Amino acid sequence: MQLFVNDLTVMDFSYLCPKRGMVGESWIVDVVLDGDLNEESMVLDFSKVKKQLKHLIDEYVDHKLLIPVEHEYSHILRDEKNDRVSVDFMRPDGRSIHLNCPSEAYAFVYSKHVTMSSVSQYLKQVIATHLPDNVAGLELALRAEVITTPYYHYTHGLKKHDGNCQRIAHGHRSKITIVENQHESQEWQQYWAERWCDIYVGSNEDLVSADKVNFVKSDTDFSEHFLFGYESSQGWFELAIPKAETEMVDTDTTVECLAQYIADEQKRLVPDSEFKVFAFEGVGKGAIAYA
């Protein structure tokens, strides 16, 4: 007997890619469980399936940075005493990415690349140890939202957030809708899809000097990197990322602030037009701003 749950949850996370750098992503999770009926004539209670599996996915992937452990660019140093991990992703041509964060900020995928297949395998191994004895098999299907209009992938960190959004490198795959003078503008939507293609959106107040960060590859030339550091309830977070792959803003990087930032930028670019911006944060949620 099989039990399926479609749209179980959406995983919002970022991952390190040799070509693209730090990539924000949002994947929808579908699940099929294979097993015998229990004493209640069920494979597993739907309410328990959703709650238990969503909890595991949130704990092991959601709002984390996924590291392709087996790629040659990945250099990982664990500080067990302080429960911290340093990651140096040594892409060539000055495009390296460096982090020093609490261990819970990462998920380590034992593969050369972070893909739907490698993440699905990682999650199956995690979930399998938490299933009851009558469940013999588990299938996970990861998929991206079907978006027929422009979208972008972005990464950010929200130091003031009480939950896991405070982690310095988590992200989203997000649709963008821009209405100019009451007409949807495909042109401006494409502009932002290209401007924020695989972008890290950083807050100016989180910039720090080189003496405030502690990366393993400290001999790296950081002249073409932005250095970020902040303290939140989960600990001290550090990030160095190429300036060419970053957009800096004067506010926090919540979706509300980003929606207003885009609207204000549109007004700056076209002062005589009126704009309404729908900025999505992953799948099916976001903020609206006007300028």
Side-chain angles (χ1 to χ4, degrees):
M1 180 65 68
Q2 291 184 313
L3 183 73
F4 69 89
V5 182
N6 291 334
D7 303 305
L8 173 70
T9 190
V10 176
M11 304 187 306
D12 291 305
F13 63 96
S14 291
Y15 67 93
L16 295 180
C17 174
K19 292 183 179 180
R20 297 169 63 185
M22 187 177 287
V23 182
E25 192 57 271
S26 301
W27 289 345
I28 301 165
V29 183
D30 300 327
V31 176
V32 177
L33 298 173
D34 223 339
D36 299 324
L37 300 183
N38 60 19
E39 63 276 5
E40 298 174 318
S41 298
M42 300 177 178
V43 175
L44 202 60
D45 186 282
F46 272 115
S47 62
K48 291 181 180 178
V49 167
K50 291 180 179 180
K51 185 176 181 179
Q52 183 179 11
L53 297 187
K54 186 179 186 307
H55 171 75
L56 289 170
I57 291 168
D58 288 348
E59 181 178 355
Y60 285 94
V61 173
D62 197 50
H63 285 75
K64 290 178 181 281
L65 178 66
L66 276 57
I67 312 297
V69 174
E70 295 176 356
H71 196 280
E72 61 180 336
Y73 293 169
S74 297
H75 299 263
I76 301 163
L77 181 65
R78 291 175 169 85
D79 178 357
E80 304 290 351
K81 180 179 178 181
N82 296 302
D83 196 25
R84 298 183 62 80
V85 178
S86 293
V87 174
D88 296 281
F89 198 61
M90 302 305 294
R91 298 159 70 212
D93 303 322
R95 297 177 300 129
S96 59
I97 297 172
H98 310 260
L99 300 104
N100 185 354
C101 302
S103 60
E104 61 190 349
Y106 309 96
F108 297 98
V109 179
Y110 284 83
S111 174
K112 288 186 177 181
H113 299 278
V114 174
T115 63
M116 287 187 179
S117 176
S118 62
V119 174
S120 177
Q121 185 61 32
Y122 166 76
L123 278 173
K124 284 174 69 174
Q125 293 172 352
V126 168
I127 292 171
T129 62
H130 294 80
L131 294 174
D133 293 339
N134 68 302
V135 178
L138 168 68
E139 296 177 25
L140 277 174
L142 306 179
R143 55 186 170 89
E145 177 188 18
V146 177
I147 304 176
T148 58
T149 55
Y151 60 88
Y152 45 70
H153 298 256
Y154 77 96
T155 301
H156 64 157
L158 305 175
K159 68 180 178 185
K160 300 172 186 175
H161 195 273
D162 289 335
N164 294 334
C165 291
Q166 67 187 263
R167 296 168 181 165
I168 202 166
H170 73 276
H172 314 273
R173 174 181 180 263
S174 300
K175 177 181 174 180
I176 177 72
T177 301
I178 297 177
V179 178
E180 180 180 12
N181 298 327
Q182 300 184 348
H183 296 283
E184 185 173 334
S185 174
Q186 189 79 10
E187 177 185 354
W188 285 120
Q189 290 165 183
Q190 186 61 38
Y191 167 80
W192 282 98
E194 294 174 5
R195 177 168 168 174
W196 278 10
C197 176
D198 303 333
I199 200 77
Y200 184 84
V201 185
S203 175
N204 280 312
E205 71 176 21
D206 297 331
L207 290 172
V208 296
S209 56
D211 63 314
K212 300 295 184 183
V213 294
N214 183 29
F215 302 120
V216 173
K217 302 288 185 179
S218 57
D219 56 345
T220 301
D221 179 7
F222 289 122
S223 60
E224 294 303 316
H225 287 67
F226 284 121
L227 305 181
F228 298 94
Y230 61 68
E231 184 79 32
S232 65
S233 62
Q234 291 183 1
W236 175 255
F237 292 84
E238 300 175 1
L239 167 67
I241 192 165
K243 292 179 180 178
E245 299 172 0
T246 308
E247 176 132 355
M248 299 301 302
V249 300
D250 290 328
T251 63
D252 292 327
T253 59
T254 63
V255 68
E256 296 90 340
C257 290
L258 295 183
Q260 193 60 58
Y261 175 79
I262 293 171
D264 292 342
E265 275 288 282
Q266 286 298 138
K267 192 68 172 177
R268 181 184 67 81
L269 293 168
V270 193
D272 294 334
S273 288
E274 300 293 324
F275 290 96
K276 182 178 182 180
V277 173
F278 298 79
F280 285 73
E281 185 183 68
V283 179
K285 61 185 189 300
I288 304 172
Y290 303 83

